[in-house]
């Protein structure tokens, strides 16, 4: 299972410049990481699906079978989305939150391409990304793994990702255990043999004198 470390993920999200594309992509990748959304869910988000109220910011996602779930937003994500909406005052509640240059919702291929370009740019400051193929699903995996490693209950992660069954989410547990086993294998196993205890002469003489 391919996923990014937190450092790699933050490098891909990056810091936007003043261009429209850069700000859109930054907001897009941040929301993808925050929510762990499928690419089909993220490109389907409308402006009206985002709630930016202080203390209860969230986004409504439509998953498989048109099932809807709500995912809370970090303060940084909500702040970034507010800034993005200010750049685009013409957006209506029914407008796609992440349009292409023609105003239509981005396609899966478009998101994948922008993510590949962002990964290539991020490799300059994060060399471990140089040979990585990062897809939208890689970001979804990263969200799940980071939640798991932070101690979030697997049933909560299943709800977060929109899994129909927690059994699907168990793949992340198995991947996490495999990763830890590989790390453990790199360590030198300590000697497990129990050495025979030999009492010092002072203790033996004391016991003889009893």
């Amino acid at each position: 299972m391919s996923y990014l470390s937190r450092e790699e993920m933050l490098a891909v999200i990056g810091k936007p410049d003043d261009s429209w594309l850069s700000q859109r992509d930054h907001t897009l990748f941040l929301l993808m990481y925050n929510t762990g959304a499928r690419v089909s869910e993220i490109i389907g988000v409308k402006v009206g699906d985002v709630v930016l109220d202080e203390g209860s910011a969230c986004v409504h996602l439509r998953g498989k079978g048109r099932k809807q779930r709500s995912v809370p937003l970090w303060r940084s994500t909500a702040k970034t989305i507010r800034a993005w909406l200010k750049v685009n005052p013409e957006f209506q509640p029914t407008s796609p939150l992440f349009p292409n240059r023609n105003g239509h919702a981005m396609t899966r291929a478009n998101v994948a391409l922008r993510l590949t370009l962002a990964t290539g740019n991020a490799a300059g400051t994060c060399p471990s990304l140089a040979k990585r193929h990062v897809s939208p699903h890689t970001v979804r995996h990263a969200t799940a793994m980071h939640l798991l490693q932070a101690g979030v209950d697997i049933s909560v992660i299943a709800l977060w990702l929109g899994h129909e069954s927690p059994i699907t989410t168990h793949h992340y547990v198995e991947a996490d255990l495999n990763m830890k086993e590989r790390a453990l294998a790199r360590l030198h196993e300590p000697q497990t043999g129990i050495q025979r205890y030999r009492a010092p002469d002072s203790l033996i003489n004391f016991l003889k004198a009893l």
Side-chain angles (χ1 to χ4, degrees):
M1 183 178 294
S2 176
Y3 68 96
L4 300 178
S5 68
R6 176 173 170 77
E7 292 72 21
E8 290 172 333
M9 191 66 247
L10 293 179
V12 170
I13 293 171
K15 294 183 178 180
D17 56 32
D18 294 332
S19 70
W20 186 88
L21 274 180
S22 178
Q23 293 183 54
R24 184 202 64 183
D25 291 353
H26 172 77
T27 309
L28 169 67
F29 302 148
L30 181 58
L31 186 62
M32 288 172 65
Y33 178 48
N34 186 154
T35 62
R38 302 176 180 90
V39 66
S40 58
E41 296 171 339
I42 209 73
I43 61 178
V45 174
K46 308 290 185 183
V47 172
D49 294 326
V50 183
V51 178
L52 298 175
D53 298 337
E54 287 290 343
S56 59
C58 67
V59 60
H60 303 305
L61 300 173
R62 294 173 184 81
K64 293 182 178 179
R66 304 299 294 175
K67 291 182 179 179
Q68 181 173 300
R69 70 183 187 281
S70 298
V71 181
L73 299 178
W74 294 318
R75 289 183 180 179
S76 58
T77 306
K79 180 180 179 181
T80 300
I81 294 176
R82 288 191 195 97
W84 170 239
L85 294 178
K86 285 184 179 180
V87 173
N88 299 276
E90 73 281 5
F91 281 2
Q92 301 297 317
T94 55
S95 301
L97 183 62
F98 302 113
N100 57 24
R101 290 182 181 277
N102 297 324
H104 302 299
M106 296 176 72
T107 64
R108 293 168 180 260
N110 194 191
V111 174
L113 175 60
R114 299 305 301 178
L115 190 56
T116 297
L117 292 173
T119 302
N121 292 333
T125 56
C126 188
S128 62
L129 289 168
K131 297 182 179 180
R132 296 293 302 274
H133 170 67
V134 178
S135 70
H137 223 65
T138 306
V139 178
R140 179 171 165 84
H141 289 331
T143 303
M145 290 297 290
H146 297 170
L147 286 170
L148 178 65
Q149 292 166 355
V152 177
D153 187 85
I154 191 169
S155 60
V156 176
I157 299 175
L159 291 172
W160 196 286
L161 298 180
H163 286 162
E164 293 185 1
S165 169
I167 295 175
T168 306
T169 320
H170 274 283
H171 292 306
Y172 295 105
V173 177
E174 295 169 1
D176 187 44
L177 287 175
N178 289 336
M179 177 189 68
K180 290 174 180 175
E181 287 174 357
R182 290 195 298 270
L184 183 62
R186 295 191 183 101
L187 298 176
H188 293 292
E189 187 172 352
Q191 295 295 326
T192 57
I194 300 176
Q195 296 183 350
R196 185 175 179 180
Y197 174 72
R198 186 180 186 282
D201 293 339
S202 58
L203 177 57
I204 294 174
N205 292 333
F206 171 76
L207 292 173
K208 286 180 178 180
L210 293 177

